[in-house]
Short mmCIF file of all heavy atoms in Angstrom, two decimals:
data_model
loop_
_atom_site.label_atom_id
_atom_site.label_comp_id
_atom_site.label_asym_id
_atom_site.label_seq_id
_atom_site.Cartn_x
_atom_site.Cartn_y
_atom_site.Cartn_z
N VAL Q 1359 105.25 91.82 117.46
CA VAL Q 1359 105.06 93.27 117.46
C VAL Q 1359 106.07 93.94 118.37
O VAL Q 1359 106.22 93.54 119.53
CB VAL Q 1359 103.62 93.64 117.92
CG1 VAL Q 1359 103.44 95.14 117.97
CG2 VAL Q 1359 102.58 92.99 117.02
N LYS Q 1360 106.75 94.94 117.83
CA LYS Q 1360 107.63 95.81 118.64
C LYS Q 1360 106.83 97.07 118.93
O LYS Q 1360 106.28 97.69 118.01
CB LYS Q 1360 108.90 96.14 117.88
CG LYS Q 1360 109.94 96.86 118.70
CD LYS Q 1360 111.20 97.12 117.90
CE LYS Q 1360 111.85 95.79 117.53
NZ LYS Q 1360 113.12 95.94 116.82
N CYS Q 1361 106.77 97.44 120.19
CA CYS Q 1361 105.95 98.58 120.61
C CYS Q 1361 106.81 99.77 121.00
O CYS Q 1361 108.00 99.62 121.30
CB CYS Q 1361 105.10 98.19 121.83
SG CYS Q 1361 104.03 96.76 121.52
N GLU Q 1362 106.18 100.94 121.00
CA GLU Q 1362 106.84 102.11 121.56
C GLU Q 1362 107.10 101.82 123.04
O GLU Q 1362 106.35 101.07 123.68
CB GLU Q 1362 105.93 103.33 121.42
CG GLU Q 1362 105.71 103.74 119.98
CD GLU Q 1362 104.68 104.85 119.84
OE1 GLU Q 1362 104.13 105.32 120.86
OE2 GLU Q 1362 104.42 105.24 118.69
N LEU Q 1363 108.15 102.42 123.58
CA LEU Q 1363 108.53 102.17 124.97
C LEU Q 1363 107.35 102.41 125.91
O LEU Q 1363 106.68 103.44 125.82
CB LEU Q 1363 109.71 103.03 125.37
CG LEU Q 1363 111.03 102.70 124.69
CD1 LEU Q 1363 112.11 103.70 125.12
CD2 LEU Q 1363 111.46 101.28 124.99
N GLY Q 1364 107.10 101.45 126.78
CA GLY Q 1364 106.06 101.58 127.78
C GLY Q 1364 104.64 101.33 127.27
O GLY Q 1364 103.69 101.52 128.02
N ARG Q 1365 104.48 100.90 126.02
CA ARG Q 1365 103.14 100.78 125.44
C ARG Q 1365 102.70 99.34 125.20
O ARG Q 1365 101.60 99.12 124.67
CB ARG Q 1365 103.08 101.53 124.10
CG ARG Q 1365 103.36 103.01 124.15
CD ARG Q 1365 102.31 103.81 124.92
NE ARG Q 1365 100.95 103.55 124.50
CZ ARG Q 1365 100.32 104.12 123.48
NH1 ARG Q 1365 100.93 105.03 122.75
NH2 ARG Q 1365 99.08 103.81 123.19
N ALA Q 1366 103.50 98.34 125.54
CA ALA Q 1366 103.18 96.95 125.20
C ALA Q 1366 101.83 96.52 125.74
O ALA Q 1366 101.03 95.90 125.02
CB ALA Q 1366 104.29 96.02 125.68
N TYR Q 1367 101.53 96.82 127.00
CA TYR Q 1367 100.26 96.38 127.57
C TYR Q 1367 99.09 97.12 126.92
O TYR Q 1367 98.03 96.53 126.70
CB TYR Q 1367 100.25 96.58 129.09
CG TYR Q 1367 100.97 95.49 129.83
CD1 TYR Q 1367 102.30 95.16 129.54
CD2 TYR Q 1367 100.34 94.79 130.85
CE1 TYR Q 1367 102.96 94.16 130.23
CE2 TYR Q 1367 101.01 93.79 131.55
CZ TYR Q 1367 102.31 93.48 131.24
OH TYR Q 1367 102.96 92.48 131.92
N ASP Q 1368 99.27 98.38 126.58
CA ASP Q 1368 98.22 99.14 125.90
C ASP Q 1368 97.94 98.55 124.52
O ASP Q 1368 96.78 98.40 124.11
CB ASP Q 1368 98.63 100.61 125.73
CG ASP Q 1368 98.80 101.34 127.04
OD1 ASP Q 1368 98.15 100.95 128.04
OD2 ASP Q 1368 99.59 102.30 127.07
N VAL Q 1369 99.01 98.22 123.78
CA VAL Q 1369 98.86 97.65 122.45
C VAL Q 1369 98.18 96.29 122.54
O VAL Q 1369 97.27 95.98 121.75
CB VAL Q 1369 100.22 97.54 121.73
CG1 VAL Q 1369 100.10 96.76 120.43
CG2 VAL Q 1369 100.80 98.92 121.47
N ALA Q 1370 98.57 95.46 123.49
CA ALA Q 1370 97.96 94.14 123.66
C ALA Q 1370 96.47 94.26 123.93
O ALA Q 1370 95.65 93.58 123.30
CB ALA Q 1370 98.65 93.38 124.79
N ASP Q 1371 96.11 95.14 124.83
CA ASP Q 1371 94.70 95.33 125.17
C ASP Q 1371 93.91 95.85 123.97
O ASP Q 1371 92.82 95.36 123.67
CB ASP Q 1371 94.57 96.31 126.35
CG ASP Q 1371 93.15 96.42 126.84
OD1 ASP Q 1371 92.52 95.39 127.13
OD2 ASP Q 1371 92.65 97.57 126.92
N LEU Q 1372 94.47 96.81 123.26
CA LEU Q 1372 93.80 97.37 122.09
C LEU Q 1372 93.60 96.32 121.01
O LEU Q 1372 92.52 96.24 120.40
CB LEU Q 1372 94.62 98.54 121.55
CG LEU Q 1372 94.04 99.35 120.40
CD1 LEU Q 1372 92.68 99.94 120.78
CD2 LEU Q 1372 95.01 100.45 119.99
N ALA Q 1373 94.60 95.48 120.78
CA ALA Q 1373 94.49 94.44 119.76
C ALA Q 1373 93.39 93.44 120.09
O ALA Q 1373 92.55 93.10 119.25
CB ALA Q 1373 95.82 93.71 119.60
N SER Q 1376 89.89 95.31 119.80
CA SER Q 1376 89.42 95.95 118.57
C SER Q 1376 89.67 95.18 117.28
O SER Q 1376 89.16 95.58 116.23
CB SER Q 1376 90.05 97.35 118.45
OG SER Q 1376 91.44 97.25 118.27
N VAL Q 1377 90.44 94.10 117.32
CA VAL Q 1377 90.72 93.34 116.10
C VAL Q 1377 90.17 91.93 116.28
O VAL Q 1377 90.79 91.10 116.97
CB VAL Q 1377 92.24 93.31 115.78
CG1 VAL Q 1377 92.49 92.58 114.47
CG2 VAL Q 1377 92.82 94.72 115.73
N LEU Q 1392 105.51 91.63 121.84
CA LEU Q 1392 104.26 90.86 121.85
C LEU Q 1392 104.26 89.87 120.71
O LEU Q 1392 104.89 90.09 119.67
CB LEU Q 1392 103.05 91.79 121.65
CG LEU Q 1392 102.86 92.92 122.66
CD1 LEU Q 1392 101.73 93.84 122.18
CD2 LEU Q 1392 102.56 92.37 124.04
N MET Q 1394 101.14 87.96 118.59
CA MET Q 1394 99.70 87.85 118.41
C MET Q 1394 99.37 86.65 117.54
O MET Q 1394 99.97 86.46 116.48
CB MET Q 1394 99.16 89.10 117.71
CG MET Q 1394 99.39 90.37 118.49
SD MET Q 1394 98.75 91.80 117.61
CE MET Q 1394 99.24 93.10 118.73
N THR Q 1409 99.13 95.14 107.59
CA THR Q 1409 99.40 96.57 107.43
C THR Q 1409 98.19 97.44 107.81
O THR Q 1409 98.36 98.55 108.30
CB THR Q 1409 99.84 96.92 105.99
OG1 THR Q 1409 98.82 96.53 105.07
CG2 THR Q 1409 101.15 96.22 105.65
N GLY Q 1410 96.99 96.93 107.61
CA GLY Q 1410 95.80 97.72 107.89
C GLY Q 1410 95.23 97.58 109.28
O GLY Q 1410 94.62 98.52 109.81
N GLN Q 1411 95.43 96.42 109.91
CA GLN Q 1411 94.81 96.17 111.22
C GLN Q 1411 95.80 96.14 112.38
O GLN Q 1411 95.46 96.53 113.48
CB GLN Q 1411 94.05 94.83 111.18
CG GLN Q 1411 92.93 94.79 110.17
CD GLN Q 1411 91.82 95.76 110.53
OE1 GLN Q 1411 91.40 95.85 111.67
NE2 GLN Q 1411 91.34 96.49 109.55
N ILE Q 1412 97.01 95.64 112.14
CA ILE Q 1412 97.99 95.50 113.24
C ILE Q 1412 98.96 96.68 113.26
O ILE Q 1412 99.14 97.33 114.29
CB ILE Q 1412 98.75 94.17 113.12
CG1 ILE Q 1412 97.79 92.97 113.10
CG2 ILE Q 1412 99.77 94.05 114.27
CD1 ILE Q 1412 96.92 92.82 114.33
N GLN Q 1413 99.57 96.99 112.12
CA GLN Q 1413 100.56 98.06 112.09
C GLN Q 1413 99.96 99.43 112.39
O GLN Q 1413 100.69 100.34 112.78
CB GLN Q 1413 101.29 98.09 110.75
CG GLN Q 1413 102.19 96.90 110.54
CD GLN Q 1413 102.91 96.95 109.21
OE1 GLN Q 1413 102.63 97.76 108.34
NE2 GLN Q 1413 103.86 96.04 109.04
N THR Q 1414 98.67 99.58 112.22
CA THR Q 1414 98.03 100.87 112.47
C THR Q 1414 97.56 101.04 113.91
O THR Q 1414 97.07 102.11 114.27
CB THR Q 1414 96.84 101.08 111.52
OG1 THR Q 1414 95.92 100.01 111.70
CG2 THR Q 1414 97.29 101.14 110.08
N LEU Q 1415 97.70 100.00 114.75
CA LEU Q 1415 97.33 100.14 116.15
C LEU Q 1415 98.26 101.17 116.81
O LEU Q 1415 99.48 101.15 116.58
CB LEU Q 1415 97.46 98.80 116.89
CG LEU Q 1415 96.45 97.72 116.51
CD1 LEU Q 1415 96.85 96.39 117.15
CD2 LEU Q 1415 95.05 98.11 116.92
N GLU Q 1416 97.69 102.03 117.61
CA GLU Q 1416 98.48 103.06 118.29
C GLU Q 1416 99.52 102.40 119.21
O GLU Q 1416 99.19 101.53 120.01
CB GLU Q 1416 97.57 103.96 119.11
CG GLU Q 1416 98.26 105.15 119.69
CD GLU Q 1416 97.32 106.10 120.40
OE1 GLU Q 1416 96.11 106.04 120.14
OE2 GLU Q 1416 97.82 106.88 121.23
N GLY Q 1417 100.77 102.79 119.04
CA GLY Q 1417 101.85 102.26 119.88
C GLY Q 1417 102.70 101.20 119.20
O GLY Q 1417 103.70 100.77 119.74
N VAL Q 1418 102.30 100.75 117.99
CA VAL Q 1418 103.08 99.74 117.26
C VAL Q 1418 104.20 100.42 116.49
O VAL Q 1418 103.97 101.39 115.78
CB VAL Q 1418 102.17 98.94 116.30
CG1 VAL Q 1418 103.01 98.06 115.37
CG2 VAL Q 1418 101.18 98.10 117.08
N LYS Q 1419 105.43 99.90 116.65
CA LYS Q 1419 106.59 100.44 115.93
C LYS Q 1419 107.00 99.55 114.76
O LYS Q 1419 107.44 100.05 113.73
CB LYS Q 1419 107.79 100.57 116.88
CG LYS Q 1419 107.72 101.75 117.80
CD LYS Q 1419 108.92 101.83 118.71
CE LYS Q 1419 110.20 101.98 117.91
NZ LYS Q 1419 111.38 102.20 118.77
N ASP Q 1420 106.89 98.22 114.92
CA ASP Q 1420 107.39 97.30 113.90
C ASP Q 1420 106.68 95.96 114.06
O ASP Q 1420 106.20 95.64 115.16
CB ASP Q 1420 108.90 97.12 114.08
CG ASP Q 1420 109.57 96.39 112.94
OD1 ASP Q 1420 109.00 96.34 111.83
OD2 ASP Q 1420 110.68 95.86 113.14
#
Side-chain angles (χ1 to χ4, degrees):
V1359 178
K1360 188 178 295 183
C1361 302
E1362 294 173 0
L1363 292 177
R1365 299 294 309 276
Y1367 280 55
D1368 296 333
V1369 172
D1371 186 53
L1372 185 58
S1376 66
V1377 183
L1392 302 172
M1394 299 179 182
T1409 59
Q1411 299 294 316
I1412 304 300
Q1413 291 180 350
T1414 58
L1415 292 170
E1416 188 175 340
V1418 170
K1419 283 180 60 174
D1420 190 20

